Amino acid sequence: MSIGMSAQVRQGFALIEVLVSVVILALAALGYAKLQLSGLSANASAMWRSKATTLAYEAADRVRANLPGVAAGQYNNLITPSTSTSACTLTNVCTTTQMAARDFVQWRTAVLNVLPGGSGVICLDSTADDGTAASPACDGTGSQIAIKVFWTERGTESRFVNVVRP
């Protein structure tokens, strides 16, 4: 009788070692895949927030370009786009009211086209960082114009707010 292991037993241990190695390698690959997926998810979220930021700053530029309209209160409560937009041309100059309405319609259309479930409002609001797409919570007071951009991301509503103090 020999004290050492037989060749078959040694081969059995080798197969078990290989199997354990394969399982460990598979778990590491799954962990890496999960890490990649969470990175992609964060990237998508950053992309939507970047687009919302760009759109909010575009609206702020539109507001600042029409300071007489701001002074007249034309940007105090732009929640729903008007159905009629004037045909402003070089020969048919817009009034400040028409310019505000046209700015809002064009901007809101861009928000709808760029962001998933996108919507936005421009309003006078003393507490700007609140509200939802369904209820933007514009209180109509204060001296700051809030530009609120809403979109839906993975079933959750997101919001970006830009405040303009003309």
Side-chain angles (χ1 to χ4, degrees):
M1 232 187 189
S2 76
I3 298 180
M5 288 196 246
S6 71
Q8 288 179 335
V9 171
R10 277 182 272 159
Q11 285 177 341
F13 279 124
L15 286 175
I16 290 173
E17 289 173 354
V18 168
L19 182 61
V20 168
S21 298
V22 168
V23 168
I24 290 172
L25 188 61
L27 289 174
L30 284 173
Y32 181 73
K34 184 176 186 300
L35 183 66
Q36 289 295 319
L37 285 175
S38 67
L40 285 173
S41 175
N43 246 358
S45 180
M47 178 190 65
W48 295 126
R49 183 158 298 281
S50 176
K51 288 182 179 194
T53 302
T54 301
L55 287 164
Y57 281 107
E58 177 190 328
D61 289 342
R62 289 175 181 259
V63 169
R64 287 187 192 103
N66 188 6
L67 289 178
V70 172
Q74 301 305 319
Y75 292 93
N76 289 359
N77 194 26
L78 295 174
I79 307 291
T80 307
S82 67
T83 55
S84 64
T85 57
S86 63
C88 302
T89 62
L90 290 176
T91 57
N92 185 23
V93 180
C94 286
T95 65
T96 58
T97 303
Q98 292 169 326
M99 180 69 76
R102 184 177 176 161
D103 283 347
F104 184 64
V105 167
Q106 290 175 345
W107 175 74
R108 177 89 180 248
T109 301
V111 170
L112 290 170
N113 290 335
V114 170
L115 296 173
S119 69
V121 298
I122 301 173
C123 60
L124 197 62
D125 196 355
S126 62
T127 57
D129 199 19
D130 59 359
T132 64
S135 175
C138 295
D139 59 23
T141 63
S143 61
Q144 61 188 11
I145 295 176
I147 299 166
K148 300 180 182 187
V149 182
F150 304 99
W151 70 97
T152 304
E153 187 178 340
R154 283 176 266 143
T156 304
E157 185 174 274
S158 297
R159 173 184 65 234
F160 179 80
V161 178
N162 186 18
V163 174
V164 179
R165 293 179 182 92

mmCIF file of all heavy atoms in Angstrom, residues 37-76:
data_model
loop_
_atom_site.group_PDB
_atom_site.id
_atom_site.type_symbol
_atom_site.label_atom_id
_atom_site.label_comp_id
_atom_site.label_asym_id
_atom_site.label_seq_id
_atom_site.Cartn_x
_atom_site.Cartn_y
_atom_site.Cartn_z
ATOM 1 N N LEU A 37 -22.066 48.770 -16.881
ATOM 2 C CA LEU A 37 -23.462 49.195 -17.002
ATOM 3 C C LEU A 37 -23.767 50.398 -16.123
ATOM 4 O O LEU A 37 -24.467 51.322 -16.538
ATOM 5 C CB LEU A 37 -24.409 48.041 -16.673
ATOM 6 C CG LEU A 37 -24.541 46.978 -17.746
ATOM 7 C CD1 LEU A 37 -25.408 45.831 -17.251
ATOM 8 C CD2 LEU A 37 -25.101 47.558 -19.031
ATOM 9 N N SER A 38 -23.252 50.400 -14.911
ATOM 10 C CA SER A 38 -23.507 51.554 -14.035
ATOM 11 C C SER A 38 -22.793 52.794 -14.581
ATOM 12 O O SER A 38 -23.297 53.903 -14.456
ATOM 13 C CB SER A 38 -23.104 51.265 -12.598
ATOM 14 O OG SER A 38 -21.708 51.119 -12.498
ATOM 15 N N GLY A 39 -21.639 52.615 -15.208
ATOM 16 C CA GLY A 39 -20.951 53.735 -15.850
ATOM 17 C C GLY A 39 -21.741 54.284 -17.018
ATOM 18 O O GLY A 39 -21.846 55.504 -17.197
ATOM 19 N N LEU A 40 -22.316 53.404 -17.824
ATOM 20 C CA LEU A 40 -23.155 53.849 -18.940
ATOM 21 C C LEU A 40 -24.390 54.596 -18.439
ATOM 22 O O LEU A 40 -24.799 55.596 -19.021
ATOM 23 C CB LEU A 40 -23.579 52.652 -19.796
ATOM 24 C CG LEU A 40 -22.517 52.064 -20.708
ATOM 25 C CD1 LEU A 40 -23.031 50.787 -21.364
ATOM 26 C CD2 LEU A 40 -22.100 53.073 -21.761
ATOM 27 N N SER A 41 -24.973 54.100 -17.378
ATOM 28 C CA SER A 41 -26.149 54.752 -16.804
ATOM 29 C C SER A 41 -25.811 56.157 -16.312
ATOM 30 O O SER A 41 -26.559 57.115 -16.541
ATOM 31 C CB SER A 41 -26.699 53.899 -15.670
ATOM 32 O OG SER A 41 -27.763 54.554 -15.034
ATOM 33 N N ALA A 42 -24.688 56.280 -15.621
ATOM 34 C CA ALA A 42 -24.264 57.601 -15.137
ATOM 35 C C ALA A 42 -23.954 58.523 -16.299
ATOM 36 O O ALA A 42 -24.245 59.725 -16.247
ATOM 37 C CB ALA A 42 -23.053 57.459 -14.224
ATOM 38 N N ASN A 43 -23.384 57.979 -17.359
ATOM 39 C CA ASN A 43 -23.096 58.779 -18.553
ATOM 40 C C ASN A 43 -24.378 59.301 -19.182
ATOM 41 O O ASN A 43 -24.449 60.459 -19.594
ATOM 42 C CB ASN A 43 -22.348 57.924 -19.576
ATOM 43 C CG ASN A 43 -20.955 58.396 -19.810
ATOM 44 O OD1 ASN A 43 -20.528 59.390 -19.251
ATOM 45 N ND2 ASN A 43 -20.244 57.667 -20.639
ATOM 46 N N ALA A 44 -25.394 58.454 -19.283
ATOM 47 C CA ALA A 44 -26.671 58.874 -19.861
ATOM 48 C C ALA A 44 -27.305 59.970 -19.013
ATOM 49 O O ALA A 44 -27.820 60.960 -19.535
ATOM 50 C CB ALA A 44 -27.615 57.684 -19.996
ATOM 51 N N SER A 45 -27.252 59.807 -17.705
ATOM 52 C CA SER A 45 -27.809 60.813 -16.810
ATOM 53 C C SER A 45 -27.079 62.147 -16.980
ATOM 54 O O SER A 45 -27.706 63.204 -17.023
ATOM 55 C CB SER A 45 -27.703 60.326 -15.363
ATOM 56 O OG SER A 45 -28.230 61.282 -14.492
ATOM 57 N N ALA A 46 -25.782 62.090 -17.079
ATOM 58 C CA ALA A 46 -25.002 63.316 -17.278
ATOM 59 C C ALA A 46 -25.327 63.966 -18.615
ATOM 60 O O ALA A 46 -25.380 65.194 -18.727
ATOM 61 C CB ALA A 46 -23.512 63.003 -17.191
ATOM 62 N N MET A 47 -25.563 63.147 -19.637
ATOM 63 C CA MET A 47 -25.908 63.690 -20.957
ATOM 64 C C MET A 47 -27.240 64.445 -20.897
ATOM 65 O O MET A 47 -27.357 65.559 -21.410
ATOM 66 C CB MET A 47 -25.998 62.574 -21.990
ATOM 67 C CG MET A 47 -26.391 63.075 -23.378
ATOM 68 S SD MET A 47 -26.780 61.767 -24.534
ATOM 69 C CE MET A 47 -28.246 61.056 -23.803
ATOM 70 N N TRP A 48 -28.258 63.852 -20.262
ATOM 71 C CA TRP A 48 -29.561 64.525 -20.180
ATOM 72 C C TRP A 48 -29.450 65.813 -19.368
ATOM 73 O O TRP A 48 -30.015 66.840 -19.721
ATOM 74 C CB TRP A 48 -30.619 63.606 -19.572
ATOM 75 C CG TRP A 48 -30.919 62.407 -20.408
ATOM 76 C CD1 TRP A 48 -30.882 61.108 -20.012
ATOM 77 C CD2 TRP A 48 -31.282 62.373 -21.797
ATOM 78 N NE1 TRP A 48 -31.192 60.282 -21.053
ATOM 79 C CE2 TRP A 48 -31.452 61.029 -22.167
ATOM 80 C CE3 TRP A 48 -31.475 63.349 -22.768
ATOM 81 C CZ2 TRP A 48 -31.809 60.635 -23.450
ATOM 82 C CZ3 TRP A 48 -31.821 62.963 -24.063
ATOM 83 C CH2 TRP A 48 -31.990 61.626 -24.392
ATOM 84 N N ARG A 49 -28.704 65.785 -18.272
ATOM 85 C CA ARG A 49 -28.537 66.992 -17.452
ATOM 86 C C ARG A 49 -27.786 68.064 -18.239
ATOM 87 O O ARG A 49 -28.111 69.240 -18.170
ATOM 88 C CB ARG A 49 -27.788 66.661 -16.165
ATOM 89 C CG ARG A 49 -27.646 67.863 -15.260
ATOM 90 C CD ARG A 49 -27.403 67.478 -13.826
ATOM 91 N NE ARG A 49 -28.476 66.718 -13.224
ATOM 92 C CZ ARG A 49 -29.610 67.241 -12.757
ATOM 93 N NH1 ARG A 49 -29.821 68.524 -12.824
ATOM 94 N NH2 ARG A 49 -30.530 66.483 -12.206
ATOM 95 N N SER A 50 -26.810 67.672 -19.030
ATOM 96 C CA SER A 50 -26.069 68.622 -19.860
ATOM 97 C C SER A 50 -26.980 69.270 -20.899
ATOM 98 O O SER A 50 -26.929 70.483 -21.127
ATOM 99 C CB SER A 50 -24.904 67.905 -20.544
ATOM 100 O OG SER A 50 -24.230 68.765 -21.414
ATOM 101 N N LYS A 51 -27.827 68.461 -21.518
ATOM 102 C CA LYS A 51 -28.770 69.011 -22.508
ATOM 103 C C LYS A 51 -29.768 69.950 -21.841
ATOM 104 O O LYS A 51 -30.096 71.005 -22.388
ATOM 105 C CB LYS A 51 -29.482 67.876 -23.241
ATOM 106 C CG LYS A 51 -28.573 67.150 -24.202
ATOM 107 C CD LYS A 51 -29.294 66.067 -24.964
ATOM 108 C CE LYS A 51 -28.319 65.402 -25.919
ATOM 109 N NZ LYS A 51 -28.968 64.581 -26.916
ATOM 110 N N ALA A 52 -30.250 69.587 -20.661
ATOM 111 C CA ALA A 52 -31.185 70.456 -19.936
ATOM 112 C C ALA A 52 -30.514 71.769 -19.567
ATOM 113 O O ALA A 52 -31.128 72.841 -19.664
ATOM 114 C CB ALA A 52 -31.697 69.743 -18.683
ATOM 115 N N THR A 53 -29.255 71.706 -19.151
ATOM 116 C CA THR A 53 -28.514 72.919 -18.803
ATOM 117 C C THR A 53 -28.360 73.832 -20.011
ATOM 118 O O THR A 53 -28.585 75.041 -19.924
ATOM 119 C CB THR A 53 -27.126 72.544 -18.246
ATOM 120 O OG1 THR A 53 -27.308 71.702 -17.114
ATOM 121 C CG2 THR A 53 -26.337 73.770 -17.848
ATOM 122 N N THR A 54 -28.004 73.254 -21.138
ATOM 123 C CA THR A 54 -27.851 74.038 -22.366
ATOM 124 C C THR A 54 -29.169 74.701 -22.750
ATOM 125 O O THR A 54 -29.195 75.888 -23.113
ATOM 126 C CB THR A 54 -27.353 73.140 -23.518
ATOM 127 O OG1 THR A 54 -26.104 72.568 -23.136
ATOM 128 C CG2 THR A 54 -27.191 73.916 -24.801
ATOM 129 N N LEU A 55 -30.260 73.963 -22.656
ATOM 130 C CA LEU A 55 -31.570 74.528 -23.001
ATOM 131 C C LEU A 55 -31.973 75.631 -22.028
ATOM 132 O O LEU A 55 -32.543 76.652 -22.430
ATOM 133 C CB LEU A 55 -32.624 73.425 -23.021
ATOM 134 C CG LEU A 55 -32.533 72.476 -24.220
ATOM 135 C CD1 LEU A 55 -33.335 71.212 -23.971
ATOM 136 C CD2 LEU A 55 -32.991 73.173 -25.493
ATOM 137 N N ALA A 56 -31.683 75.455 -20.755
ATOM 138 C CA ALA A 56 -32.021 76.484 -19.765
ATOM 139 C C ALA A 56 -31.224 77.767 -20.023
ATOM 140 O O ALA A 56 -31.763 78.873 -19.924
ATOM 141 C CB ALA A 56 -31.775 75.972 -18.352
ATOM 142 N N TYR A 57 -29.961 77.623 -20.352
ATOM 143 C CA TYR A 57 -29.146 78.806 -20.643
ATOM 144 C C TYR A 57 -29.567 79.470 -21.951
ATOM 145 O O TYR A 57 -29.483 80.688 -22.086
ATOM 146 C CB TYR A 57 -27.658 78.462 -20.639
ATOM 147 C CG TYR A 57 -27.113 78.373 -19.239
ATOM 148 C CD1 TYR A 57 -26.799 77.146 -18.666
ATOM 149 C CD2 TYR A 57 -26.947 79.516 -18.462
ATOM 150 C CE1 TYR A 57 -26.329 77.067 -17.373
ATOM 151 C CE2 TYR A 57 -26.476 79.445 -17.166
ATOM 152 C CZ TYR A 57 -26.172 78.218 -16.624
ATOM 153 O OH TYR A 57 -25.713 78.151 -15.339
ATOM 154 N N GLU A 58 -30.048 78.666 -22.900
ATOM 155 C CA GLU A 58 -30.585 79.246 -24.134
ATOM 156 C C GLU A 58 -31.809 80.107 -23.826
ATOM 157 O O GLU A 58 -31.959 81.215 -24.356
ATOM 158 C CB GLU A 58 -30.970 78.138 -25.119
ATOM 159 C CG GLU A 58 -31.608 78.653 -26.388
ATOM 160 C CD GLU A 58 -32.200 77.550 -27.245
ATOM 161 O OE1 GLU A 58 -31.661 76.429 -27.252
ATOM 162 O OE2 GLU A 58 -33.221 77.823 -27.911
ATOM 163 N N ALA A 59 -32.683 79.605 -22.959
ATOM 164 C CA ALA A 59 -33.861 80.384 -22.564
ATOM 165 C C ALA A 59 -33.443 81.662 -21.835
ATOM 166 O O ALA A 59 -34.040 82.726 -22.044
ATOM 167 C CB ALA A 59 -34.782 79.547 -21.686
ATOM 168 N N ALA A 60 -32.424 81.564 -20.985
ATOM 169 C CA ALA A 60 -31.943 82.755 -20.271
ATOM 170 C C ALA A 60 -31.425 83.797 -21.258
ATOM 171 O O ALA A 60 -31.670 85.000 -21.085
ATOM 172 C CB ALA A 60 -30.848 82.370 -19.283
ATOM 173 N N ASP A 61 -30.733 83.350 -22.295
ATOM 174 C CA ASP A 61 -30.259 84.288 -23.327
ATOM 175 C C ASP A 61 -31.422 84.943 -24.050
ATOM 176 O O ASP A 61 -31.388 86.135 -24.358
ATOM 177 C CB ASP A 61 -29.356 83.567 -24.330
ATOM 178 C CG ASP A 61 -28.013 83.180 -23.751
ATOM 179 O OD1 ASP A 61 -27.634 83.747 -22.702
ATOM 180 O OD2 ASP A 61 -27.350 82.302 -24.337
ATOM 181 N N ARG A 62 -32.464 84.186 -24.312
ATOM 182 C CA ARG A 62 -33.657 84.745 -24.966
ATOM 183 C C ARG A 62 -34.312 85.798 -24.075
ATOM 184 O O ARG A 62 -34.751 86.838 -24.550
ATOM 185 C CB ARG A 62 -34.660 83.639 -25.308
ATOM 186 C CG ARG A 62 -34.222 82.734 -26.441
ATOM 187 C CD ARG A 62 -35.220 81.595 -26.623
ATOM 188 N NE ARG A 62 -34.835 80.689 -27.674
ATOM 189 C CZ ARG A 62 -35.351 80.703 -28.909
ATOM 190 N NH1 ARG A 62 -36.262 81.589 -29.230
ATOM 191 N NH2 ARG A 62 -34.955 79.826 -29.800
ATOM 192 N N VAL A 63 -34.387 85.509 -22.778
ATOM 193 C CA VAL A 63 -34.978 86.465 -21.835
ATOM 194 C C VAL A 63 -34.144 87.739 -21.797
ATOM 195 O O VAL A 63 -34.678 88.855 -21.879
ATOM 196 C CB VAL A 63 -35.108 85.837 -20.425
ATOM 197 C CG1 VAL A 63 -35.458 86.886 -19.387
ATOM 198 C CG2 VAL A 63 -36.145 84.723 -20.439
ATOM 199 N N ARG A 64 -32.837 87.597 -21.678
ATOM 200 C CA ARG A 64 -31.962 88.776 -21.602
ATOM 201 C C ARG A 64 -31.967 89.596 -22.890
ATOM 202 O O ARG A 64 -31.691 90.788 -22.870
ATOM 203 C CB ARG A 64 -30.536 88.339 -21.276
ATOM 204 C CG ARG A 64 -30.374 87.903 -19.847
ATOM 205 C CD ARG A 64 -28.905 87.642 -19.509
ATOM 206 N NE ARG A 64 -28.781 86.966 -18.244
ATOM 207 C CZ ARG A 64 -28.530 85.670 -18.103
ATOM 208 N NH1 ARG A 64 -28.343 84.911 -19.150
ATOM 209 N NH2 ARG A 64 -28.448 85.147 -16.899
ATOM 210 N N ALA A 65 -32.272 88.956 -24.009
ATOM 211 C CA ALA A 65 -32.326 89.679 -25.286
ATOM 212 C C ALA A 65 -33.583 90.525 -25.415
ATOM 213 O O ALA A 65 -33.671 91.374 -26.305
ATOM 214 C CB ALA A 65 -32.244 88.691 -26.451
ATOM 215 N N ASN A 66 -34.556 90.316 -24.540
ATOM 216 C CA ASN A 66 -35.816 91.053 -24.594
ATOM 217 C C ASN A 66 -36.069 91.739 -23.250
ATOM 218 O O ASN A 66 -37.092 91.527 -22.614
ATOM 219 C CB ASN A 66 -36.959 90.093 -24.963
ATOM 220 C CG ASN A 66 -38.267 90.794 -25.231
ATOM 221 O OD1 ASN A 66 -38.355 92.020 -25.253
ATOM 222 N ND2 ASN A 66 -39.320 90.016 -25.431
ATOM 223 N N LEU A 67 -35.160 92.575 -22.815
ATOM 224 C CA LEU A 67 -35.310 93.247 -21.518
ATOM 225 C C LEU A 67 -36.561 94.126 -21.438
ATOM 226 O O LEU A 67 -37.183 94.184 -20.370
ATOM 227 C CB LEU A 67 -34.049 94.034 -21.180
ATOM 228 C CG LEU A 67 -32.831 93.165 -20.834
ATOM 229 C CD1 LEU A 67 -31.609 94.031 -20.555
ATOM 230 C CD2 LEU A 67 -33.130 92.260 -19.660
ATOM 231 N N PRO A 68 -36.968 94.787 -22.524
ATOM 232 C CA PRO A 68 -38.256 95.511 -22.431
ATOM 233 C C PRO A 68 -39.427 94.566 -22.148
ATOM 234 O O PRO A 68 -40.353 94.917 -21.417
ATOM 235 C CB PRO A 68 -38.396 96.182 -23.803
ATOM 236 C CG PRO A 68 -36.996 96.310 -24.306
ATOM 237 C CD PRO A 68 -36.281 95.106 -23.778
ATOM 238 N N GLY A 69 -39.371 93.360 -22.692
ATOM 239 C CA GLY A 69 -40.404 92.362 -22.407
ATOM 240 C C GLY A 69 -40.362 91.900 -20.964
ATOM 241 O O GLY A 69 -41.396 91.671 -20.340
ATOM 242 N N VAL A 70 -39.160 91.785 -20.421
ATOM 243 C CA VAL A 70 -39.009 91.421 -19.004
ATOM 244 C C VAL A 70 -39.607 92.518 -18.133
ATOM 245 O O VAL A 70 -40.366 92.249 -17.199
ATOM 246 C CB VAL A 70 -37.526 91.191 -18.649
ATOM 247 C CG1 VAL A 70 -37.353 91.009 -17.153
ATOM 248 C CG2 VAL A 70 -36.975 89.991 -19.397
ATOM 249 N N ALA A 71 -39.278 93.778 -18.446
ATOM 250 C CA ALA A 71 -39.792 94.909 -17.670
ATOM 251 C C ALA A 71 -41.311 94.990 -17.743
ATOM 252 O O ALA A 71 -41.970 95.385 -16.779
ATOM 253 C CB ALA A 71 -39.167 96.214 -18.164
ATOM 254 N N ALA A 72 -41.887 94.583 -18.881
ATOM 255 C CA ALA A 72 -43.342 94.608 -19.045
ATOM 256 C C ALA A 72 -44.015 93.371 -18.451
ATOM 257 O O ALA A 72 -45.246 93.257 -18.499
ATOM 258 C CB ALA A 72 -43.686 94.728 -20.532
ATOM 259 N N GLY A 73 -43.230 92.434 -17.918
ATOM 260 C CA GLY A 73 -43.808 91.246 -17.293
ATOM 261 C C GLY A 73 -44.187 90.138 -18.253
ATOM 262 O O GLY A 73 -44.948 89.246 -17.893
ATOM 263 N N GLN A 74 -43.655 90.159 -19.460
ATOM 264 C CA GLN A 74 -44.022 89.160 -20.465
ATOM 265 C C GLN A 74 -43.461 87.767 -20.166
ATOM 266 O O GLN A 74 -43.940 86.785 -20.716
ATOM 267 C CB GLN A 74 -43.568 89.616 -21.853
ATOM 268 C CG GLN A 74 -44.154 90.933 -22.297
ATOM 269 C CD GLN A 74 -45.668 90.928 -22.252
ATOM 270 O OE1 GLN A 74 -46.314 89.961 -22.624
ATOM 271 N NE2 GLN A 74 -46.245 92.019 -21.783
ATOM 272 N N TYR A 75 -42.452 87.674 -19.314
ATOM 273 C CA TYR A 75 -41.847 86.382 -18.971
ATOM 274 C C TYR A 75 -42.252 85.924 -17.569
ATOM 275 O O TYR A 75 -41.692 84.967 -17.055
ATOM 276 C CB TYR A 75 -40.319 86.477 -19.060
ATOM 277 C CG TYR A 75 -39.822 86.651 -20.471
ATOM 278 C CD1 TYR A 75 -39.602 87.918 -20.994
ATOM 279 C CD2 TYR A 75 -39.589 85.554 -21.291
ATOM 280 C CE1 TYR A 75 -39.156 88.079 -22.293
ATOM 281 C CE2 TYR A 75 -39.142 85.707 -22.591
ATOM 282 C CZ TYR A 75 -38.918 86.974 -23.084
ATOM 283 O OH TYR A 75 -38.483 87.130 -24.380
ATOM 284 N N ASN A 76 -43.226 86.582 -16.966
ATOM 285 C CA ASN A 76 -43.601 86.266 -15.587
ATOM 286 C C ASN A 76 -44.383 84.970 -15.437
ATOM 287 O O ASN A 76 -44.407 84.394 -14.357
ATOM 288 C CB ASN A 76 -44.410 87.406 -14.974
ATOM 289 C CG ASN A 76 -43.559 88.622 -14.706
ATOM 290 O OD1 ASN A 76 -42.360 88.622 -14.956
ATOM 291 N ND2 ASN A 76 -44.174 89.673 -14.198
#
